[in-house]
Structures are given as C-alpha cells and as structure tokens.
Amino acid sequence: MTGTVDVRLSHAQQRFLWDEEMAPGQDDNNVVLAYLLTGPVDPAALTAAFDDVVRRHDVLRTVYLWDVAPEPVQRVMAAETAAIALERVTVADPALPPAEIAARVCADWWDSPFALERRPPVRARLAGLSADSWLLCLNLHHIAFDGQSELLLAADLGAAYEARVLGRAPVWEDVPGYGEYARWEADRIPVWAEKDRPFWRHVLAAPAPALLATPEADQGVRGEFEIALSARATDRIRDAVRARRAIVMSALLHETSAAVGDVFGVDAVNLATVSSGRFEKAHASILGCFVNPLVLPLSGIRTADAGERLTEVNRLVLQALRRARLPFDLIARDLGIQAVGSGLFDVMVALQAPEPGGSFGADVTYRPLRVPAPRAGFGLVVELEQNLAGHWVVAGRWREDLIDEPTGRKVVESLAERLLTLPGPEGAR
C-alpha cells in the first residue's frame, strides 16, 4: 500500500496513537533494542541490509494521520521519502561494559518522542567498539512493533546482511503489509463481537477493587528487580506445569496472583496480560503491533485450594485466549470501564517471547543487550523472560511513586519461590 492510499488503523494502533496524543513519549510505548555484534562486521553491508529490511516491511515506513479523515489513518511512505538511515555514532569510552555503552548511545531516545504524523517511528544507530565488536541500537514505537516483530526483524536483518556481504541483494518472498491485517481485522470485528462479548461481560462483571492508588502523573521513576533461574530449575517448572495439565501462562498468572496476595494482603486482584494477536498463518511474517490486552479478575488467592485454583485459572486463561480477538478497548467501552482508576491495569503480567540471538552469516554473531527504561507507566509489571540459553528470568518493574522497592522486590521473590516449589510430576514440592 505504498504511496497515498490511506488505510484505517488496527485497534492496537488506535490505542497507541491515542496514548501518544494524550501523553507523548511514554517509555512503556517506546521500544529500545540493542545488540552486541561480534566478528568482522562490514558496516556498509549492514547499512544496506538495514535499508533492505525497511523496504521489505511497510510498517517501518508508515506515518499516522488524524486530520485528514473522520478517524485516524496510516499511510506508507516510499523508501526514498522515508529516508530512515542507520546512523554511525562514535563511542567516547569503548572500554566500558557493552550494556553501559548501549544505554548511553540510546539515552536521548527516551526523551525524544516520535512525531508519528510526520516521520515513521524508527531510529537506528551503529557504533564501533573495536575491530570485531559493534553495537546495533534500534528505537521503534509500539504502534509499529511487538515482541514477535523483534524476532522477525532480527532474522530478516541477518539474511539481508549475509546477502550483502556476498555483494547481492537478498532474495525473499513478499510479505503482506500491515495494512492488510488492519483491513482483515476491521472486516471480522462484528462477528467477533457477537461471539465474544457475552464471555467478557461475564468475566468482567465484578472486577477486583483497585490495588494501587490512582497516579497523579502519566509516568513515574521505574524500579526493577529480577531473579535468574537455573536451567535445572526452569526445566523442573516446565515439568510441574505439564503435570498439572496447564500452560505456562496460566501458571504464571496463578502464581503472580498468589504473590500479590502474599505481599498486599488481598484475596482478589485484576491481572492484565496480552495475547499475541497473530491469529492466522498469513500474519506470522508481518512486522507490526498485534497484541491485544486482556484482563482477568482472579479471586480466592489466599483462601482456595492452590491445586484446584490453578486448574480453574488454566481453564479461564484458555477460554480467554480463544476469545482474545475482540479488541479490549471495545469491551471496555461496552462495559463503561475506564482504564485510569479502575484497577484493571494495576498489575500487568507478560510471558515474553524468547530473546533473539544467533549469527549474521558465518562470521558475525549477535546477542541482545538490555537497555532499561528510566520511567514506567504501569504500576507493576511482572515478566517471565526466556534468555538465549533457555533459562527463565523472573522480573518485576514498577513505578516508585506507587510501589516502594521493598514491596516490588517481595513480589518478585514470592513469585520465584512459588514457581520453584510448584508440585512436580511426582507430586512432591
């Protein structure tokens, strides 16, 4: 859809555009990625490969307009007009740890909101640390990107780089533009609404009370704490979840609710999470934002039998994921729910996709470096992350104006302990 053809936004894009209009530059909507490249990197080939990926995926060249139609639209720019460059930057002290250098290279991005109506929300920088060590840093807005998109982008960039090093353009199959998904979603929403609204009206009929105070600002200083689990512990947790005939997401939500109950002394809590949103095979290779938030009120945290409750939570999660197509903003509108002050999004729980990592051709390897955001919008975010080696990390991020550090750490510690002591296949803890 390159050119002047305007396409309506998907509901995920509408949500992020509205957030950006109300509070520009929120860190939760700002995706900052950094990768350490090791080997004889060819900067010219990598620059050409980056341009190849930008040309391949329409969403990386899209702007969002809200003054030319009754509703916002997206417009794909030609690659030449978009002019998204891989910027070469100089590092003042290349002897510092790579993660610290990456944080410095990306630091100004957190305070530089994208002008979504004028420029595509993509920035990129390349910094040399030594002859065989480089940093590739990317900045994207969530309106155009999600966790699965990172895996797709890394794979495409690696394939393009391998081709460019050999002096040729990459050869790959055409990928549908994100606008095709937006059209597909719009066509199906009436059917989804008819099928899925009754379920969500029932689930959200009596949500739990708000857990945190209503914030006075859109963002607060972010605190964080994480616990890395060993490979043995990770495998044991997986086995324990299978033994209960549950999925990992259900176990994560169940144990997070119990951890919150332990720390805050409550017997019910609303847990927000997301579905991947990629419901069709045709969408698997499209870059863009597909995630749809879900909210599940969970009760009986401290009073119900833990084993029976996990079974109930797993049943609820599976039912919810089967009905995760209907955009949550439509559900909230239907029920008259306001996001702010309702308590529905006090606690966000995420099962993260595996980290990308591997090689660009035979000679260059890459691994991700985490660049922490300085601020947070959500009160508490609990994540289960899978690193390159397959080990899990239990992580918590919180707003310091809503949750103090001891409380945030206690939630993470309680969750990790509960996961580690899940009854195994033999029934012992």
Side-chain angles (χ1 to χ4, degrees), residues 345-377:
F345 291 93
D346 283 349
V347 184
M348 173 67 75
V349 183
L351 177 61
Q352 297 290 6
E355 291 181 324
S359 62
F360 287 180
D363 302 323
V364 176
T365 61
Y366 73 98
R367 65 178 178 87
L369 299 173
R370 192 169 156 271
V371 181
R375 298 168 294 259

Side-chain angles (χ1 to χ4, degrees), residues 155-352:
D156 283 354
L157 188 59
Y161 176 77
E162 186 173 9
R164 289 298 178 180
V165 165
L166 298 175
R168 56 179 176 79
V171 177
W172 42 33
E173 296 181 1
D174 290 340
V175 175
Y178 184 86
E180 295 186 30
Y181 164 75
R183 292 192 191 98
W184 177 88
E185 180 194 59
D187 290 342
R188 284 157 178 77
I189 280 177
V191 176
W192 296 341
E194 182 178 355
K195 291 183 177 180
D196 299 340
R197 265 194 180 123
F199 171 81
W200 289 110
R201 284 173 179 162
H202 172 72
V203 168
L204 297 171
L211 184 71
L212 305 176
T214 301
E216 297 181 357
D218 295 311
Q219 301 186 103
V221 175
R222 189 169 93 154
E224 59 180 43
F225 177 63
E226 62 183 36
I227 297 175
L229 306 179
S230 68
R232 181 178 180 181
T234 299
D235 289 342
R236 193 204 159 281
I237 294 169
R238 287 196 183 102
D239 290 342
V241 173
R242 293 192 197 100
R244 299 310 303 263
R245 297 185 179 181
I247 61 174
V248 173
M249 173 57 80
S250 300
L252 176 60
L253 289 166
H254 174 263
E255 301 303 337
T256 297
S257 69
V260 169
D262 288 343
V263 176
F264 287 89
V266 297
D267 197 46
V269 66
N270 306 308
L271 294 186
T273 187
V274 295
S275 71
S276 69
R278 297 173 189 265
F279 303 114
E280 300 288 334
K281 186 176 181 180
H283 305 150
S285 60
I286 303 176
L287 256 66
C289 184
F290 290 79
V291 295
N292 184 34
L294 311 173
V295 177
L296 299 176
L298 301 183
S299 59
I301 292 173
R302 296 189 297 164
T303 56
D305 176 81
E308 293 178 0
R309 188 168 172 276
L310 175 55
T311 299
E312 293 174 0
V313 170
N314 187 64
R315 183 182 302 112
L316 175 62
V317 170
L318 292 176
Q319 290 173 339
L321 291 176
R322 285 195 295 270
R323 295 164 176 84
R325 303 164 299 180
L326 185 62
F328 190 81
D329 58 294
L330 296 182
I331 299 169
R333 190 183 310 163
D334 181 48
L335 297 176
I337 297 174
Q338 299 293 325
V340 177
S342 66
L344 292 186
F345 291 93
D346 283 349
V347 184
M348 173 67 75
V349 183
L351 177 61
Q352 297 290 6

Side-chain angles (χ1 to χ4, degrees), residues 40-61:
V41 173
D42 181 338
L46 188 57
T47 299
F50 178 74
D51 184 62
D52 290 329
V53 173
V54 169
R55 290 174 180 272
R56 174 170 168 75
H57 294 284
D58 284 359
V59 76
L60 300 180
R61 296 179 279 110

